[in-house]
Amino acid sequence: MPPLDCFEVFSYRIEAASTAGTVFTSSEQAAVVATSEMMAFQDNAETDPGWTVSGNATDGQWNRGIPVNAGRGDPSADADGSGRAWLTDNSSANGGNSDVDGGETILTSPVIDASAGGTLRFSYWVGDIGGSELGSEDYFRVQLSTNGGSTWQTIRDINIATNSWSNDSEIIGGAIPATSQLRIRFIAADNTPGDVVECGIDAISLVSYECEPAGCDNPADTNGDGQVSPADFNAWISAFNNNAPECDQNGDGLCTPADFNAWIGNFNQGCP
């Protein structure tokens, strides 16, 4: 891979071939160039940081809880093992008729500060009794807003019921611009004539990135400022006078006058 700039977004695939000539190719993944990451937002559904539920569905609205597994394509456990998830209905009442009916139910996040960009991650469940393609009128949809909810952009439109938890992610700071007013919403819909549509959401997080300039892997950088410059000579003299570790330029574990010539050689090599 060629050198890339800090915070540059790139895509990649992984491909492997068997000795029989069968080729296996992964789905395309996106990544961000960075030196470290930090958690900017995290929600495992054990508490509610301010999600809202709306929509015109007559039954099966989103609610938060431990999955009850009514046996109609709904999950038997949450995605991340913490216990709870957001689920459509989540009830064993009425014979377990807990799926979405008569329209759509919408789960909308609070405002998330994504001004530093990052990767938005989430786990989702789409299921029905048999596990198959949903009706053409039904869907599970994921949308993002970069202006606090004034406008929305669809990033996923899923109509296959796998009856299993799936992990997904979206880069913020690429095609989706970084913003302090990010919101995400999940829409589960079951429209006429009506099918079984069971959905779940869990493990939502936003990981943002930091990118520190590359240092100088050369012992001649005696002052540790990430570059080799004449200022390092004075720093080496100080290290020599104080028998400091930076004095040792030839790697013999000692601080001796021989390290001066070694410092000169290292200095002439510069930063790699």
Side-chain angles (χ1 to χ4, degrees):
M1 180 179 290
L4 299 172
D5 294 330
C6 283
F7 304 120
E8 187 171 347
V9 179
F10 65 95
S11 299
Y12 65 94
R13 298 178 188 269
I14 298 175
E15 186 174 284
S18 71
T19 55
T22 304
V23 178
F24 303 89
T25 305
S26 72
S27 59
E28 186 174 285
Q29 304 292 319
V32 177
V33 178
T35 56
S36 61
E37 63 180 32
M38 60 182 180
M39 192 67 68
F41 175 83
Q42 186 173 27
D43 181 17
N44 61 3
E46 294 307 296
T47 59
D48 182 0
W51 294 80
T52 57
V53 176
S54 60
N56 61 356
T58 58
D59 191 22
Q61 296 281 359
W62 290 103
N63 56 54
R64 186 176 60 87
I66 298 173
V68 301
N69 187 17
R72 289 170 55 85
D74 47 341
S76 59
D78 69 329
D80 59 10
S82 61
R84 291 174 173 79
W86 284 97
L87 305 156
T88 50
D89 208 342
N90 191 38
S91 172
S92 58
N94 301 321
N97 184 17
S98 58
D99 65 307
V100 183
D101 290 311
E104 60 182 25
T105 177
I106 306 170
L107 178 66
T108 305
S109 77
V111 173
I112 300 170
D113 184 359
S115 53
T119 300
L120 182 67
R121 299 169 179 159
F122 56 92
S123 297
Y124 68 90
W125 177 287
V126 179
D128 65 13
I129 294 175
S132 60
E133 187 173 354
L134 301 179
S136 59
E137 72 284 353
D138 305 327
Y139 51 84
F140 172 73
R141 191 167 291 164
V142 184
Q143 296 183 330
L144 289 179
S145 172
T146 58
N147 52 22
S150 297
T151 58
W152 294 90
Q153 174 183 347
T154 297
I155 61 169
R156 302 289 185 275
D157 214 340
I158 299 166
N159 65 352
I160 300 296
T162 60
N163 289 3
S164 62
W165 286 105
S166 300
N167 298 321
D168 206 345
S169 63
E170 183 73 24
I171 298 294
I172 307 299
I176 306 294
T179 173
S180 63
Q181 296 292 305
L182 182 72
R183 299 183 81 178
I184 183 171
R185 70 182 183 185
F186 305 96
I187 307 172
D190 182 18
N191 295 297
T192 305
D195 297 294
V196 175
V197 177
E198 297 274 16
C199 296
I201 289 294
D202 199 9
I204 307 106
S205 65
L206 173 67
V207 177
S208 61
Y209 303 104
E210 294 180 336
C211 204
E212 299 294 333
C216 180
D217 187 18
N218 185 333
D221 178 24
T222 323
N223 62 11
D225 66 356
Q227 56 186 332
V228 171
S229 70
D232 288 304
F233 174 72
N234 290 332
W236 182 85
I237 293 294
S238 177
F240 178 83
N241 290 334
N242 292 281
N243 198 29
E246 293 79 11
C247 170
D248 181 18
Q249 293 287 307
N250 59 12
D252 64 359
L254 302 173
C255 179
T256 68
D259 287 301
F260 174 70
N261 289 333
W263 181 87
I264 292 293
N266 292 332
F267 178 87
N268 288 335
Q269 291 181 18
C271 288

